[in-house]
Amino acid sequence: NAGVTQTPKFQVLKTGQSMTLQCAQDMNHEYMSWYRQDPGMGLRLIHYSVGAGITDQGEVPNGYNVSRSTTEDFPLRLLSAAPSQTSVYFCASRRQGRETQYFGPGTRLLVL
Amino acid sequence: SQQGEEDPQALSIQEGENATMNCSYKTSINNLQWYRQNSGRGLVHLILIRSNEREKHSGRLRVTLDTSKKSSSLLITASRAADTASYFCATGGPDNDYKLSFGAGTTVTVRA
């Protein structure tokens, strides 16, 4: 199994541009989440999904959209990038009824 | 807002020594998990302790949980250079435990 994969690994955007961060998992996990990690802070939850077609907001959802059309994929869309969205983004998944989360390698995003 | 707070923020020890880090949290939890993050990588699950448990072991890891003090500790015994990483505690609440809340982490450096 590849586990949780994320693309791209690194991205530079200009303010106002939009983009989609990709996340996929091959473990058939029901739950998927997006976090951002900023220096000196823990991971903060952006959006999460408990199954295909079901998404909900986390702690810091503003400026981001998600959708979950399949169990495997959970893309994160930045609608109009801002410098405050410069961060490292992690996708994670877990099986329903189990607490352990599996994380992807992360996407480093720089917004100029 | 962050639920967990780790202490100390950074720790430097000699190879072979023990490393202890603490996590305090604010509200009732269902479980508490510890994750490790190597530089530039995603988080890896280390150990989980449930709210009705007081101590748990896994290899060189020992976790304690004191729900009356809302605190947990992670002990790494006989540290190795490969233990150099950041360590995060994450709490799962009783009502919505698929939304983990992470602390800011403890950075551990093990000197050869």
PDB file of all heavy atoms in Angstrom, chain A residues 63-99:
ATOM      1  N   GLY A  63     -11.238  30.326   3.358  1.00  0.00           N
ATOM      2  CA  GLY A  63     -10.317  30.395   2.229  1.00  0.00           C
ATOM      3  C   GLY A  63     -10.053  29.061   1.572  1.00  0.00           C
ATOM      4  O   GLY A  63      -9.305  28.996   0.591  1.00  0.00           O
ATOM      5  N   TYR A  64     -10.666  28.000   2.111  1.00  0.00           N
ATOM      6  CA  TYR A  64     -10.451  26.650   1.593  1.00  0.00           C
ATOM      7  C   TYR A  64     -11.794  25.978   1.310  1.00  0.00           C
ATOM      8  O   TYR A  64     -12.754  26.157   2.041  1.00  0.00           O
ATOM      9  CB  TYR A  64      -9.703  25.789   2.603  1.00  0.00           C
ATOM     10  CG  TYR A  64      -8.420  26.362   3.127  1.00  0.00           C
ATOM     11  CD1 TYR A  64      -8.398  27.070   4.326  1.00  0.00           C
ATOM     12  CD2 TYR A  64      -7.219  26.189   2.445  1.00  0.00           C
ATOM     13  CE1 TYR A  64      -7.219  27.594   4.824  1.00  0.00           C
ATOM     14  CE2 TYR A  64      -6.032  26.700   2.943  1.00  0.00           C
ATOM     15  CZ  TYR A  64      -6.048  27.410   4.148  1.00  0.00           C
ATOM     16  OH  TYR A  64      -4.876  27.918   4.637  1.00  0.00           O
ATOM     17  N   ASN A  65     -11.791  25.162   0.248  1.00  0.00           N
ATOM     18  CA  ASN A  65     -12.948  24.325  -0.048  1.00  0.00           C
ATOM     19  C   ASN A  65     -12.503  22.883  -0.200  1.00  0.00           C
ATOM     20  O   ASN A  65     -11.372  22.619  -0.635  1.00  0.00           O
ATOM     21  CB  ASN A  65     -13.617  24.751  -1.371  1.00  0.00           C
ATOM     22  CG  ASN A  65     -14.647  25.830  -1.151  1.00  0.00           C
ATOM     23  OD1 ASN A  65     -14.874  26.283  -0.038  1.00  0.00           O
ATOM     24  ND2 ASN A  65     -15.289  26.261  -2.234  1.00  0.00           N
ATOM     25  N   VAL A  66     -13.388  21.959   0.113  1.00  0.00           N
ATOM     26  CA  VAL A  66     -13.100  20.547  -0.095  1.00  0.00           C
ATOM     27  C   VAL A  66     -14.315  19.865  -0.695  1.00  0.00           C
ATOM     28  O   VAL A  66     -15.436  20.380  -0.637  1.00  0.00           O
ATOM     29  CB  VAL A  66     -12.730  19.817   1.218  1.00  0.00           C
ATOM     30  CG1 VAL A  66     -11.395  20.292   1.764  1.00  0.00           C
ATOM     31  CG2 VAL A  66     -13.835  19.995   2.254  1.00  0.00           C
ATOM     32  N   SER A  67     -14.067  18.702  -1.257  1.00  0.00           N
ATOM     33  CA  SER A  67     -15.136  17.827  -1.728  1.00  0.00           C
ATOM     34  C   SER A  67     -14.653  16.403  -1.566  1.00  0.00           C
ATOM     35  O   SER A  67     -13.446  16.144  -1.488  1.00  0.00           O
ATOM     36  CB  SER A  67     -15.493  18.122  -3.188  1.00  0.00           C
ATOM     37  OG  SER A  67     -14.359  17.929  -4.018  1.00  0.00           O
ATOM     38  N   ARG A  68     -15.567  15.475  -1.494  1.00  0.00           N
ATOM     39  CA  ARG A  68     -15.196  14.058  -1.331  1.00  0.00           C
ATOM     40  C   ARG A  68     -16.137  13.238  -2.223  1.00  0.00           C
ATOM     41  O   ARG A  68     -17.174  12.756  -1.794  1.00  0.00           O
ATOM     42  CB  ARG A  68     -15.348  13.649   0.124  1.00  0.00           C
ATOM     43  CG  ARG A  68     -14.885  12.222   0.394  1.00  0.00           C
ATOM     44  CD  ARG A  68     -13.512  12.159   0.944  1.00  0.00           C
ATOM     45  NE  ARG A  68     -13.082  10.795   1.221  1.00  0.00           N
ATOM     46  CZ  ARG A  68     -13.239  10.192   2.399  1.00  0.00           C
ATOM     47  NH1 ARG A  68     -13.848  10.811   3.396  1.00  0.00           N
ATOM     48  NH2 ARG A  68     -12.792   8.966   2.577  1.00  0.00           N
ATOM     49  N   SER A  69     -15.753  13.104  -3.476  1.00  0.00           N
ATOM     50  CA  SER A  69     -16.594  12.367  -4.418  1.00  0.00           C
ATOM     51  C   SER A  69     -16.306  10.871  -4.379  1.00  0.00           C
ATOM     52  O   SER A  69     -17.164  10.058  -4.762  1.00  0.00           O
ATOM     53  CB  SER A  69     -16.412  12.901  -5.839  1.00  0.00           C
ATOM     54  OG  SER A  69     -15.043  12.850  -6.209  1.00  0.00           O
ATOM     55  N   THR A  70     -15.128  10.492  -3.915  1.00  0.00           N
ATOM     56  CA  THR A  70     -14.777   9.074  -3.782  1.00  0.00           C
ATOM     57  C   THR A  70     -14.179   8.838  -2.403  1.00  0.00           C
ATOM     58  O   THR A  70     -13.731   9.779  -1.740  1.00  0.00           O
ATOM     59  CB  THR A  70     -13.757   8.626  -4.839  1.00  0.00           C
ATOM     60  OG1 THR A  70     -12.509   9.293  -4.587  1.00  0.00           O
ATOM     61  CG2 THR A  70     -14.225   8.944  -6.252  1.00  0.00           C
ATOM     62  N   THR A  71     -14.121   7.591  -1.992  1.00  0.00           N
ATOM     63  CA  THR A  71     -13.479   7.263  -0.714  1.00  0.00           C
ATOM     64  C   THR A  71     -11.992   7.577  -0.744  1.00  0.00           C
ATOM     65  O   THR A  71     -11.414   7.990   0.254  1.00  0.00           O
ATOM     66  CB  THR A  71     -13.678   5.768  -0.403  1.00  0.00           C
ATOM     67  OG1 THR A  71     -15.072   5.492  -0.298  1.00  0.00           O
ATOM     68  CG2 THR A  71     -13.002   5.378   0.904  1.00  0.00           C
ATOM     69  N   GLU A  72     -11.375   7.429  -1.921  1.00  0.00           N
ATOM     70  CA  GLU A  72      -9.916   7.527  -2.009  1.00  0.00           C
ATOM     71  C   GLU A  72      -9.386   8.953  -1.999  1.00  0.00           C
ATOM     72  O   GLU A  72      -8.290   9.213  -1.523  1.00  0.00           O
ATOM     73  CB  GLU A  72      -9.426   6.830  -3.283  1.00  0.00           C
ATOM     74  CG  GLU A  72      -9.636   5.325  -3.307  1.00  0.00           C
ATOM     75  CD  GLU A  72     -11.065   4.955  -3.650  1.00  0.00           C
ATOM     76  OE1 GLU A  72     -11.815   5.811  -4.194  1.00  0.00           O
ATOM     77  OE2 GLU A  72     -11.458   3.802  -3.367  1.00  0.00           O
ATOM     78  N   ASP A  73     -10.132   9.892  -2.576  1.00  0.00           N
ATOM     79  CA  ASP A  73      -9.585  11.226  -2.832  1.00  0.00           C
ATOM     80  C   ASP A  73     -10.250  12.314  -2.005  1.00  0.00           C
ATOM     81  O   ASP A  73     -11.472  12.301  -1.822  1.00  0.00           O
ATOM     82  CB  ASP A  73      -9.732  11.562  -4.325  1.00  0.00           C
ATOM     83  CG  ASP A  73      -9.020  10.564  -5.210  1.00  0.00           C
ATOM     84  OD1 ASP A  73      -7.796  10.457  -5.077  1.00  0.00           O
ATOM     85  OD2 ASP A  73      -9.695   9.888  -5.999  1.00  0.00           O
ATOM     86  N   PHE A  74      -9.433  13.271  -1.586  1.00  0.00           N
ATOM     87  CA  PHE A  74      -9.956  14.374  -0.768  1.00  0.00           C
ATOM     88  C   PHE A  74      -9.150  15.635  -1.108  1.00  0.00           C
ATOM     89  O   PHE A  74      -8.251  16.042  -0.374  1.00  0.00           O
ATOM     90  CB  PHE A  74      -9.827  14.026   0.711  1.00  0.00           C
ATOM     91  CG  PHE A  74     -10.561  14.954   1.637  1.00  0.00           C
ATOM     92  CD1 PHE A  74     -11.829  15.420   1.350  1.00  0.00           C
ATOM     93  CD2 PHE A  74      -9.980  15.353   2.839  1.00  0.00           C
ATOM     94  CE1 PHE A  74     -12.513  16.262   2.214  1.00  0.00           C
ATOM     95  CE2 PHE A  74     -10.648  16.194   3.725  1.00  0.00           C
ATOM     96  CZ  PHE A  74     -11.913  16.647   3.398  1.00  0.00           C
ATOM     97  N   PRO A  75      -9.460  16.293  -2.226  1.00  0.00           N
ATOM     98  CA  PRO A  75      -8.697  17.470  -2.626  1.00  0.00           C
ATOM     99  C   PRO A  75      -9.055  18.709  -1.809  1.00  0.00           C
ATOM    100  O   PRO A  75     -10.203  18.866  -1.377  1.00  0.00           O
ATOM    101  CB  PRO A  75      -9.093  17.649  -4.102  1.00  0.00           C
ATOM    102  CG  PRO A  75     -10.452  17.028  -4.197  1.00  0.00           C
ATOM    103  CD  PRO A  75     -10.465  15.889  -3.216  1.00  0.00           C
ATOM    104  N   LEU A  76      -8.061  19.559  -1.628  1.00  0.00           N
ATOM    105  CA  LEU A  76      -8.230  20.826  -0.914  1.00  0.00           C
ATOM    106  C   LEU A  76      -8.004  21.958  -1.901  1.00  0.00           C
ATOM    107  O   LEU A  76      -6.957  22.041  -2.531  1.00  0.00           O
ATOM    108  CB  LEU A  76      -7.212  20.941   0.230  1.00  0.00           C
ATOM    109  CG  LEU A  76      -7.232  22.238   1.032  1.00  0.00           C
ATOM    110  CD1 LEU A  76      -8.483  22.306   1.917  1.00  0.00           C
ATOM    111  CD2 LEU A  76      -5.970  22.357   1.890  1.00  0.00           C
ATOM    112  N   ARG A  77      -8.992  22.831  -2.024  1.00  0.00           N
ATOM    113  CA  ARG A  77      -8.899  23.928  -2.984  1.00  0.00           C
ATOM    114  C   ARG A  77      -8.682  25.250  -2.268  1.00  0.00           C
ATOM    115  O   ARG A  77      -9.420  25.588  -1.334  1.00  0.00           O
ATOM    116  CB  ARG A  77     -10.171  24.004  -3.834  1.00  0.00           C
ATOM    117  CG  ARG A  77     -10.396  22.784  -4.685  1.00  0.00           C
ATOM    118  CD  ARG A  77     -11.653  22.907  -5.541  1.00  0.00           C
ATOM    119  NE  ARG A  77     -11.938  21.665  -6.249  1.00  0.00           N
ATOM    120  CZ  ARG A  77     -12.598  20.641  -5.696  1.00  0.00           C
ATOM    121  NH1 ARG A  77     -13.070  20.746  -4.466  1.00  0.00           N
ATOM    122  NH2 ARG A  77     -12.800  19.542  -6.385  1.00  0.00           N
ATOM    123  N   LEU A  78      -7.679  25.989  -2.741  1.00  0.00           N
ATOM    124  CA  LEU A  78      -7.484  27.365  -2.303  1.00  0.00           C
ATOM    125  C   LEU A  78      -8.139  28.251  -3.346  1.00  0.00           C
ATOM    126  O   LEU A  78      -7.743  28.227  -4.514  1.00  0.00           O
ATOM    127  CB  LEU A  78      -5.997  27.698  -2.179  1.00  0.00           C
ATOM    128  CG  LEU A  78      -5.307  27.250  -0.892  1.00  0.00           C
ATOM    129  CD1 LEU A  78      -5.179  25.741  -0.854  1.00  0.00           C
ATOM    130  CD2 LEU A  78      -3.952  27.915  -0.770  1.00  0.00           C
ATOM    131  N   LEU A  79      -9.094  29.028  -2.944  1.00  0.00           N
ATOM    132  CA  LEU A  79      -9.908  29.770  -3.887  1.00  0.00           C
ATOM    133  C   LEU A  79      -9.176  31.002  -4.427  1.00  0.00           C
ATOM    134  O   LEU A  79      -9.199  31.278  -5.618  1.00  0.00           O
ATOM    135  CB  LEU A  79     -11.213  30.189  -3.224  1.00  0.00           C
ATOM    136  CG  LEU A  79     -11.964  29.026  -2.562  1.00  0.00           C
ATOM    137  CD1 LEU A  79     -13.162  29.541  -1.782  1.00  0.00           C
ATOM    138  CD2 LEU A  79     -12.385  27.999  -3.613  1.00  0.00           C
ATOM    139  N   SER A  80      -8.530  31.741  -3.541  1.00  0.00           N
ATOM    140  CA  SER A  80      -7.790  32.945  -3.900  1.00  0.00           C
ATOM    141  C   SER A  80      -6.667  33.079  -2.885  1.00  0.00           C
ATOM    142  O   SER A  80      -6.867  33.585  -1.787  1.00  0.00           O
ATOM    143  CB  SER A  80      -8.700  34.173  -3.863  1.00  0.00           C
ATOM    144  OG  SER A  80      -7.959  35.352  -4.158  1.00  0.00           O
ATOM    145  N   ALA A  81      -5.498  32.575  -3.252  1.00  0.00           N
ATOM    146  CA  ALA A  81      -4.410  32.430  -2.292  1.00  0.00           C
ATOM    147  C   ALA A  81      -3.999  33.759  -1.666  1.00  0.00           C
ATOM    148  O   ALA A  81      -3.939  34.802  -2.355  1.00  0.00           O
ATOM    149  CB  ALA A  81      -3.210  31.767  -2.958  1.00  0.00           C
ATOM    150  N   ALA A  82      -3.675  33.705  -0.385  1.00  0.00           N
ATOM    151  CA  ALA A  82      -3.199  34.872   0.361  1.00  0.00           C
ATOM    152  C   ALA A  82      -1.907  34.486   1.069  1.00  0.00           C
ATOM    153  O   ALA A  82      -1.694  33.311   1.387  1.00  0.00           O
ATOM    154  CB  ALA A  82      -4.252  35.301   1.381  1.00  0.00           C
ATOM    155  N   PRO A  83      -1.032  35.469   1.334  1.00  0.00           N
ATOM    156  CA  PRO A  83       0.226  35.162   2.042  1.00  0.00           C
ATOM    157  C   PRO A  83       0.004  34.436   3.366  1.00  0.00           C
ATOM    158  O   PRO A  83       0.855  33.639   3.782  1.00  0.00           O
ATOM    159  CB  PRO A  83       0.851  36.543   2.232  1.00  0.00           C
ATOM    160  CG  PRO A  83       0.343  37.341   1.078  1.00  0.00           C
ATOM    161  CD  PRO A  83      -1.073  36.866   0.867  1.00  0.00           C
ATOM    162  N   SER A  84      -1.127  34.685   4.021  1.00  0.00           N
ATOM    163  CA  SER A  84      -1.422  34.019   5.296  1.00  0.00           C
ATOM    164  C   SER A  84      -1.639  32.518   5.133  1.00  0.00           C
ATOM    165  O   SER A  84      -1.674  31.777   6.124  1.00  0.00           O
ATOM    166  CB  SER A  84      -2.664  34.644   5.941  1.00  0.00           C
ATOM    167  OG  SER A  84      -3.790  34.477   5.087  1.00  0.00           O
ATOM    168  N   GLN A  85      -1.795  32.067   3.896  1.00  0.00           N
ATOM    169  CA  GLN A  85      -1.966  30.643   3.649  1.00  0.00           C
ATOM    170  C   GLN A  85      -0.643  29.929   3.369  1.00  0.00           C
ATOM    171  O   GLN A  85      -0.629  28.727   3.096  1.00  0.00           O
ATOM    172  CB  GLN A  85      -2.951  30.420   2.493  1.00  0.00           C
ATOM    173  CG  GLN A  85      -4.362  30.877   2.826  1.00  0.00           C
ATOM    174  CD  GLN A  85      -5.328  30.690   1.685  1.00  0.00           C
ATOM    175  OE1 GLN A  85      -5.114  31.198   0.577  1.00  0.00           O
ATOM    176  NE2 GLN A  85      -6.406  29.970   1.931  1.00  0.00           N
ATOM    177  N   THR A  86       0.446  30.681   3.457  1.00  0.00           N
ATOM    178  CA  THR A  86       1.765  30.052   3.405  1.00  0.00           C
ATOM    179  C   THR A  86       1.891  29.114   4.596  1.00  0.00           C
ATOM    180  O   THR A  86       1.758  29.540   5.746  1.00  0.00           O
ATOM    181  CB  THR A  86       2.877  31.115   3.445  1.00  0.00           C
ATOM    182  OG1 THR A  86       2.838  31.880   2.232  1.00  0.00           O
ATOM    183  CG2 THR A  86       4.239  30.465   3.607  1.00  0.00           C
ATOM    184  N   SER A  87       2.139  27.844   4.315  1.00  0.00           N
ATOM    185  CA  SER A  87       2.115  26.846   5.379  1.00  0.00           C
ATOM    186  C   SER A  87       2.526  25.496   4.809  1.00  0.00           C
ATOM    187  O   SER A  87       2.785  25.362   3.610  1.00  0.00           O
ATOM    188  CB  SER A  87       0.694  26.751   5.976  1.00  0.00           C
ATOM    189  OG  SER A  87       0.679  25.939   7.126  1.00  0.00           O
ATOM    190  N   VAL A  88       2.583  24.519   5.687  1.00  0.00           N
ATOM    191  CA  VAL A  88       2.729  23.137   5.252  1.00  0.00           C
ATOM    192  C   VAL A  88       1.390  22.451   5.486  1.00  0.00           C
ATOM    193  O   VAL A  88       0.837  22.526   6.592  1.00  0.00           O
ATOM    194  CB  VAL A  88       3.845  22.406   6.016  1.00  0.00           C
ATOM    195  CG1 VAL A  88       3.992  20.979   5.485  1.00  0.00           C
ATOM    196  CG2 VAL A  88       5.171  23.155   5.879  1.00  0.00           C
ATOM    197  N   TYR A  89       0.897  21.793   4.465  1.00  0.00           N
ATOM    198  CA  TYR A  89      -0.422  21.180   4.523  1.00  0.00           C
ATOM    199  C   TYR A  89      -0.290  19.660   4.571  1.00  0.00           C
ATOM    200  O   TYR A  89       0.420  19.059   3.766  1.00  0.00           O
ATOM    201  CB  TYR A  89      -1.254  21.593   3.302  1.00  0.00           C
ATOM    202  CG  TYR A  89      -1.611  23.052   3.333  1.00  0.00           C
ATOM    203  CD1 TYR A  89      -0.738  24.023   2.853  1.00  0.00           C
ATOM    204  CD2 TYR A  89      -2.832  23.474   3.875  1.00  0.00           C
ATOM    205  CE1 TYR A  89      -1.063  25.370   2.914  1.00  0.00           C
ATOM    206  CE2 TYR A  89      -3.163  24.810   3.931  1.00  0.00           C
ATOM    207  CZ  TYR A  89      -2.269  25.760   3.448  1.00  0.00           C
ATOM    208  OH  TYR A  89      -2.590  27.091   3.509  1.00  0.00           O
ATOM    209  N   PHE A  90      -0.988  19.079   5.528  1.00  0.00           N
ATOM    210  CA  PHE A  90      -0.973  17.635   5.686  1.00  0.00           C
ATOM    211  C   PHE A  90      -2.374  17.073   5.519  1.00  0.00           C
ATOM    212  O   PHE A  90      -3.342  17.606   6.062  1.00  0.00           O
ATOM    213  CB  PHE A  90      -0.441  17.229   7.063  1.00  0.00           C
ATOM    214  CG  PHE A  90       1.024  17.473   7.231  1.00  0.00           C
ATOM    215  CD1 PHE A  90       1.483  18.608   7.878  1.00  0.00           C
ATOM    216  CD2 PHE A  90       1.946  16.559   6.747  1.00  0.00           C
ATOM    217  CE1 PHE A  90       2.839  18.833   8.036  1.00  0.00           C
ATOM    218  CE2 PHE A  90       3.305  16.777   6.902  1.00  0.00           C
ATOM    219  CZ  PHE A  90       3.750  17.922   7.541  1.00  0.00           C
ATOM    220  N   CYS A  91      -2.441  15.984   4.802  1.00  0.00           N
ATOM    221  CA  CYS A  91      -3.659  15.209   4.671  1.00  0.00           C
ATOM    222  C   CYS A  91      -3.516  13.965   5.547  1.00  0.00           C
ATOM    223  O   CYS A  91      -2.410  13.422   5.689  1.00  0.00           O
ATOM    224  CB  CYS A  91      -3.869  14.824   3.209  1.00  0.00           C
ATOM    225  SG  CYS A  91      -5.333  13.833   2.894  1.00  0.00           S
ATOM    226  N   ALA A  92      -4.609  13.537   6.142  1.00  0.00           N
ATOM    227  CA  ALA A  92      -4.572  12.352   6.994  1.00  0.00           C
ATOM    228  C   ALA A  92      -5.833  11.531   6.787  1.00  0.00           C
ATOM    229  O   ALA A  92      -6.874  12.061   6.379  1.00  0.00           O
ATOM    230  CB  ALA A  92      -4.436  12.755   8.463  1.00  0.00           C
ATOM    231  N   SER A  93      -5.724  10.261   7.075  1.00  0.00           N
ATOM    232  CA  SER A  93      -6.898   9.395   6.977  1.00  0.00           C
ATOM    233  C   SER A  93      -6.913   8.422   8.141  1.00  0.00           C
ATOM    234  O   SER A  93      -5.878   8.161   8.773  1.00  0.00           O
ATOM    235  CB  SER A  93      -6.907   8.626   5.647  1.00  0.00           C
ATOM    236  OG  SER A  93      -5.925   7.594   5.646  1.00  0.00           O
ATOM    237  N   ARG A  94      -8.096   7.922   8.443  1.00  0.00           N
ATOM    238  CA  ARG A  94      -8.219   6.895   9.471  1.00  0.00           C
ATOM    239  C   ARG A  94      -9.458   6.060   9.203  1.00  0.00           C
ATOM    240  O   ARG A  94     -10.392   6.498   8.530  1.00  0.00           O
ATOM    241  CB  ARG A  94      -8.277   7.514  10.867  1.00  0.00           C
ATOM    242  CG  ARG A  94      -9.449   8.399  11.142  1.00  0.00           C
ATOM    243  CD  ARG A  94      -9.346   9.015  12.518  1.00  0.00           C
ATOM    244  NE  ARG A  94      -9.895   8.151  13.545  1.00  0.00           N
ATOM    245  CZ  ARG A  94     -11.103   8.283  14.058  1.00  0.00           C
ATOM    246  NH1 ARG A  94     -11.902   9.239  13.646  1.00  0.00           N
ATOM    247  NH2 ARG A  94     -11.526   7.462  14.993  1.00  0.00           N
ATOM    248  N   ARG A  95      -9.431   4.882   9.747  1.00  0.00           N
ATOM    249  CA  ARG A  95     -10.566   3.973   9.579  1.00  0.00           C
ATOM    250  C   ARG A  95     -11.632   4.303  10.622  1.00  0.00           C
ATOM    251  O   ARG A  95     -11.325   4.643  11.758  1.00  0.00           O
ATOM    252  CB  ARG A  95     -10.101   2.528   9.736  1.00  0.00           C
ATOM    253  CG  ARG A  95     -11.159   1.489   9.408  1.00  0.00           C
ATOM    254  CD  ARG A  95     -10.573   0.092   9.451  1.00  0.00           C
ATOM    255  NE  ARG A  95      -9.514  -0.106   8.491  1.00  0.00           N
ATOM    256  CZ  ARG A  95      -9.694  -0.304   7.187  1.00  0.00           C
ATOM    257  NH1 ARG A  95     -10.931  -0.352   6.693  1.00  0.00           N
ATOM    258  NH2 ARG A  95      -8.680  -0.490   6.393  1.00  0.00           N
ATOM    259  N   GLN A  96     -12.864   4.209  10.220  1.00  0.00           N
ATOM    260  CA  GLN A  96     -13.963   4.423  11.161  1.00  0.00           C
ATOM    261  C   GLN A  96     -13.840   3.479  12.328  1.00  0.00           C
ATOM    262  O   GLN A  96     -13.582   2.287  12.153  1.00  0.00           O
ATOM    263  CB  GLN A  96     -15.298   4.196  10.443  1.00  0.00           C
ATOM    264  CG  GLN A  96     -16.509   4.482  11.297  1.00  0.00           C
ATOM    265  CD  GLN A  96     -17.801   4.269  10.529  1.00  0.00           C
ATOM    266  OE1 GLN A  96     -17.784   3.783   9.398  1.00  0.00           O
ATOM    267  NE2 GLN A  96     -18.903   4.654  11.113  1.00  0.00           N
ATOM    268  N   GLY A  97     -13.963   4.010  13.537  1.00  0.00           N
ATOM    269  CA  GLY A  97     -13.872   3.198  14.737  1.00  0.00           C
ATOM    270  C   GLY A  97     -12.462   3.019  15.261  1.00  0.00           C
ATOM    271  O   GLY A  97     -12.268   2.446  16.329  1.00  0.00           O
ATOM    272  N   ARG A  98     -11.470   3.496  14.517  1.00  0.00           N
ATOM    273  CA  ARG A  98     -10.086   3.422  14.975  1.00  0.00           C
ATOM    274  C   ARG A  98      -9.557   4.835  15.135  1.00  0.00           C
ATOM    275  O   ARG A  98      -9.883   5.720  14.350  1.00  0.00           O
ATOM    276  CB  ARG A  98      -9.230   2.659  13.949  1.00  0.00           C
ATOM    277  CG  ARG A  98      -9.766   1.303  13.572  1.00  0.00           C
ATOM    278  CD  ARG A  98      -9.672   0.318  14.716  1.00  0.00           C
ATOM    279  NE  ARG A  98      -8.326  -0.100  14.977  1.00  0.00           N
ATOM    280  CZ  ARG A  98      -7.749  -1.161  14.416  1.00  0.00           C
ATOM    281  NH1 ARG A  98      -8.420  -1.873  13.528  1.00  0.00           N
ATOM    282  NH2 ARG A  98      -6.525  -1.489  14.733  1.00  0.00           N
ATOM    283  N   GLU A  99      -8.717   5.044  16.149  1.00  0.00           N
ATOM    284  CA  GLU A  99      -8.281   6.414  16.440  1.00  0.00           C
ATOM    285  C   GLU A  99      -7.020   6.829  15.710  1.00  0.00           C
ATOM    286  O   GLU A  99      -6.765   8.019  15.531  1.00  0.00           O
ATOM    287  CB  GLU A  99      -8.043   6.576  17.947  1.00  0.00           C
ATOM    288  CG  GLU A  99      -9.291   6.424  18.795  1.00  0.00           C
ATOM    289  CD  GLU A  99      -9.549   4.996  19.240  1.00  0.00           C
ATOM    290  OE1 GLU A  99      -8.887   4.073  18.724  1.00  0.00           O
ATOM    291  OE2 GLU A  99     -10.404   4.809  20.114  1.00  0.00           O
TER     292      GLU A  99
END
